Amino acid sequence: MATKKLDLHKMRHDEAERQVENFILLNEPPLNIITGNSDMMRSIVETFCAKHKISYERWDWGEITILK
């Protein structure tokens, strides 16, 4: 089964927050979220994961993998 991906490029930050929440809560891990080089986008994903105690890894600078 292919890993689902969410690409945050060209999204506004408030839209990205909603998309990240829905994507993580409505899909089974592993999931990939493409943040690009945006510190703010990385922060949105990492803050959400910390708040909900969701495991993740940042494999490279622009992509975060949600583990569980």
Side-chain angles (χ1 to χ4, degrees), residues 10-67:
K10 299 183 181 180
M11 274 191 211
R12 294 189 339 254
H13 294 144
D14 61 331
E15 180 185 356
E17 288 177 13
R18 286 190 304 277
Q19 291 290 329
V20 165
E21 179 176 358
N22 288 337
F23 183 68
I24 292 173
L25 294 179
L26 297 176
N27 293 288
E28 287 293 319
L31 304 168
N32 288 341
I33 301 177
I34 311 301
T35 61
N37 293 325
S38 170
D39 289 333
M40 184 62 180
M41 291 301 192
R42 274 191 297 279
S43 177
I44 287 170
V45 176
E46 291 173 348
T47 299
F48 180 84
C49 289
K51 179 179 174 184
H52 295 277
K53 296 180 174 58
I54 295 169
S55 298
Y56 68 91
E57 289 185 352
R58 195 162 67 195
W59 293 101
D60 64 38
W61 193 244
E63 185 170 342
I64 295 173
T65 300
I66 306 302
L67 302 172

